[in-house]
Amino acid sequence: MNRADHDYNFGSSRKRYEWQQGFEMGMAPRDPELEKDLFGEENHVHSGINFAKYDSIKVKVRGNNPPPAFDHFRNANLHPVMKENIQLARYEVPTPVQRHSITIVTAGRDLMACAQTGSGKTAAFLVPTCSSLFATAPQLVSRPANRYEARSFRAKPLVLIIAPTRELCTQIFDEARRFCYRSMLRPCAVYGGAGYRGQEIELEKGCDVLVAVPGRLMDFVEKGKIDLSHIKYLVLDEADRMLDMGFEPIIRELVERRGLNRNRQTLMYSATFPKDIRMLARDFLRPDYLFLQVGRVGGTTTDITQNVLWVEEAQKRERLKEVLLKQPPCRTLIFVDTKRSADSLDQFLFESNFPCTSIHGDRTQREREDALMAFRAGKCPILVATAVVARGIDVKNVMHVINYDMPPGMDEFIHRIGRTARVGNAGLATSFVNHNNMPILKDLTKVLQECKQQIPDFLQKYVTRGPL
Ligand code: AMP
């Protein structure tokens, strides 16, 4: 079945009748076939053994009158259908960012949230925004009256989620389909690199929850295919990336000069939030916004065992082979700096008989999707990648992240190693450092110290005595 077509492909008139009846009551009946497609087989466990540790993470909410967090999904102020969808997703306990974000969003407040990688931020914004629309959706959604009107139809999304990469965009879209199950809300995704007309056709059927990468979104807005004036919730995922120098002008243009509803709620999420970007972010938030901090801003989790090895450039390939041969076969993500090194390292590993593939920004969308799919499915359990998959990408059971080349700054380091140890699972990160990485060694040592990791001898001189 076409991914976004679940609310159009009824199969039989009987089913269509049941769905319409359901919608009139605000919810559609369950559909076992679609459920299997959306939520997968039963007993597929998401969260890891360290999930309970989340409770000990310090949470701070700054701002006036923050609403209290809830303790269990059943006590949350959510639509009953959303609660059932959460059960279908097999989320038993809310993560700290979910506990706070869901009540803050439900209370109508703007939010800037900073929480560790893999701690459930996607559901933290999808659940409350979609849930609050479930009851009102029948009055709010707009659809073309018929096929003929579709060509001139303008999609009027109610929720707009902006993400920096195509891969993250499709991942959030898949999650949106799950949480919109049985509701009238229709999610769509628009991102570059994939066929324009295919995405346009989806928009022409109506779109209530739009997940978008800025460039393609702007194209559709300029062509009059998307009207932003109905947006009730604007979400910036990986917000610090969305507001850095690369993306900020286009985000500002979209938010301030393209008719985006001013009377909206704005929500921002990331694992890292440099101070200057936090200041800039305030331009997009209402003055009474809340700042939610789970753990330290830019911190990572103690569930990741981190090894830092001194490896000269010329020895990196051989050292990498050693590391890979020493470990049991497991999903391993290797980060390099440039597209060229991704290609050549992939070739080298392939010639050394490792089951690998690679991904970077010069590949076609098809090649990028194929590489990620082969990695997810375990067909190629070793993926060589540039920063395109450093943020947000959620692949189950990535056991090892290798920084073959260190990133230029610690924020990217945090996002990269955050591809392992997701939702309380354990993980391993190995980083190769040498003289080229001197500028970040002090900050790297701080992260290791904070996460109670072993500090190699060559980093001892950077160890901070006393409180961090
Ligand atoms: P995210 O940080 O949103 O990318 O989520 C990381 C992973 O955690 C995804 O696979 C989610 O499906 C999963 N997840 C999110 N929230 C929960 C929860 N409360 N319980 C179990 N798994 C969760």
Side-chain angles (χ1 to χ4, degrees):
M1 195 191 301
N2 188 332
R3 293 168 124 208
D5 257 4
H6 63 264
D7 44 350
Y8 283 83
N9 196 345
F10 295 101
S12 68
S13 55
R14 164 96 196 129
K15 218 167 183 183
R16 178 185 294 272
Y17 174 75
E18 282 178 6
W19 274 74
Q20 278 169 351
Q21 289 271 301
F23 280 151
E24 272 156 30
M25 295 182 302
M27 63 194 279
R30 290 176 66 166
D31 174 344
E33 215 182 291
L34 178 57
E35 233 162 71
K36 219 161 111 188
D37 175 37
L38 289 175
F39 299 97
E41 300 298 334
E42 264 179 51
N43 67 28
H44 177 96
V45 180
H46 284 284
S47 48
I49 45 167
N50 296 327
F51 199 75
K53 257 211 254 168
Y54 275 139
D55 277 342
S56 57
I57 298 178
K58 263 201 200 144
V59 179
K60 274 193 237 159
V61 186
R62 273 186 247 156
N64 290 332
N65 301 324
F70 66 95
D71 54 352
H72 197 282
F73 284 121
R74 69 174 166 269
N75 301 330
N77 182 11
L78 294 170
H79 192 282
V81 171
M82 181 55 86
K83 287 189 185 173
E84 286 182 39
N85 289 349
I86 291 170
Q87 268 177 1
L88 285 169
R90 296 168 205 105
Y91 292 3
E92 283 166 17
V93 188
T95 64
V97 65
Q98 291 167 355
R99 267 183 212 152
H100 289 268
S101 166
I102 290 173
T103 45
I104 290 172
V105 177
T106 313
R109 304 287 293 271
D110 280 8
L111 173 67
M112 187 193 290
C114 195
Q116 296 152 317
T117 50
S119 62
K121 290 193 281 288
T122 317
F125 57 76
L126 281 176
V127 166
T129 50
C130 296
S131 173
S132 79
L133 293 171
F134 278 6
T136 43
Q139 295 99 58
L140 294 178
V141 299
S142 91
R143 299 280 184 268
N146 53 46
R147 254 187 304 153
Y148 306 103
E149 205 191 281
R151 280 305 281 252
S152 56
F153 182 74
R154 269 178 156 212
K156 299 182 186 70
L158 305 168
V159 183
L160 172 62
I161 300 154
I162 310 186
T165 62
R166 305 164 193 176
E167 284 75 17
L168 191 51
C169 181
T170 49
Q171 188 178 293
I172 299 170
F173 168 66
D174 286 340
E175 203 83 341
R177 287 183 67 221
R178 280 180 212 121
F179 289 118
C180 290
Y181 173 51
R182 296 175 64 200
S183 78
M184 216 183 181
L185 301 179
R186 188 168 194 282
C188 284
V190 299
Y191 49 90
Y196 187 90
R197 182 62 195 141
Q199 294 177 1
E200 193 177 19
I201 291 173
E202 291 306 323
L203 292 172
E204 285 170 356
K205 293 175 187 170
C207 163
D208 314 303
V209 179
L210 179 63
V211 191
V213 171
R216 183 58 66 92
L217 172 62
M218 185 60 102
D219 277 0
F220 277 120
V221 171
E222 278 175 349
K223 298 229 163 66
K225 294 304 294 185
I226 297 176
D227 173 348
L228 298 176
S229 64
H230 291 229
I231 299 291
K232 285 183 149 298
Y233 300 101
L234 168 68
V235 181
L236 299 187
D237 194 20
E238 304 296 341
D240 56 333
R241 174 77 186 94
M242 302 310 313
L243 296 176
D244 74 9
M245 272 160 21
F247 276 123
E248 194 262 348
I250 189 166
I251 297 292
R252 198 173 279 280
E253 173 77 23
L254 279 165
V255 175
E256 294 178 352
R257 291 185 280 277
R258 296 288 165 164
L260 202 146
N261 184 9
R262 289 186 185 277
N263 206 2
R264 58 166 195 272
Q265 237 175 293
T266 306
L267 316 167
M268 304 189 183
Y269 297 80
S270 186
T272 50
F273 243 124
K275 266 205 185 104
D276 51 334
I277 304 275
R278 265 187 267 167
M279 297 300 284
L280 180 77
R282 301 208 304 218
D283 286 2
F284 301 95
L285 295 159
R286 289 179 289 194
D288 71 337
Y289 79 93
L290 294 171
F291 180 70
L292 168 64
Q293 181 181 338
V294 182
R296 187 181 71 85
V297 177
T300 185
T301 151
T302 48
D303 298 337
I304 307 173
T305 305
Q306 296 189 50
N307 293 327
V308 180
L309 309 174
W310 188 272
V311 187
E312 296 298 347
E313 286 301 318
Q315 266 96 52
K316 277 187 175 175
R317 286 190 170 189
E318 284 316 308
R319 198 62 194 272
L320 176 66
K321 259 167 76 173
E322 271 170 38
V323 170
L324 292 176
L325 287 171
K326 256 208 297 201
Q327 70 179 20
C330 63
R331 268 198 201 83
T332 303
L333 185 50
I334 303 171
F335 280 105
V336 293
D337 259 356
T338 62
K339 299 165 190 168
R340 266 209 7 234
S341 3
D343 284 334
S344 71
L345 190 63
D346 179 17
Q347 187 63 23
F348 167 76
L349 290 174
F350 180 74
E351 283 164 8
S352 313
N353 295 320
F354 288 102
C356 61
T357 182
S358 56
I359 186 167
H360 59 67
D362 274 357
R363 293 276 163 83
T364 63
Q365 182 59 21
R366 184 63 198 268
E367 287 168 333
R368 283 164 70 156
E369 277 174 18
D370 285 351
L372 256 185
M373 208 147 53
F375 183 57
R376 275 186 211 278
K379 244 172 50 194
C380 294
I382 298 177
L383 179 67
V384 182
T386 56
V388 286
V389 292
R391 279 175 179 262
I393 296 300
D394 181 49
V395 176
K396 305 268 170 306
N397 300 326
V398 174
M399 302 310 288
H400 196 175
V401 173
I402 300 176
N403 282 306
Y404 182 88
D405 295 322
M406 281 297 270
M410 287 317 285
D411 279 354
E412 191 178 325
F413 176 86
I414 299 293
H415 284 283
R416 282 185 182 186
I417 67 170
R419 297 317 97 211
T420 184
R422 298 184 70 76
V423 255
N425 289 286
L428 176 67
T430 301
S431 302
F432 292 174
V433 302
N434 58 38
H435 289 105
N436 295 336
N437 312 114
M438 294 311 262
I440 59 165
L441 294 188
K442 191 164 173 224
D443 290 340
L444 174 64
T445 312
K446 198 167 154 202
V447 168
L448 294 175
Q449 254 190 293
E450 233 172 32
C451 300
K452 306 189 174 52
Q453 301 294 308
Q454 267 195 337
I455 313 235
D457 288 347
F458 59 86
L459 290 181
Q460 285 297 336
K461 58 175 177 275
Y462 300 111
V463 168
T464 315
R465 315 281 163 204
L468 283 168

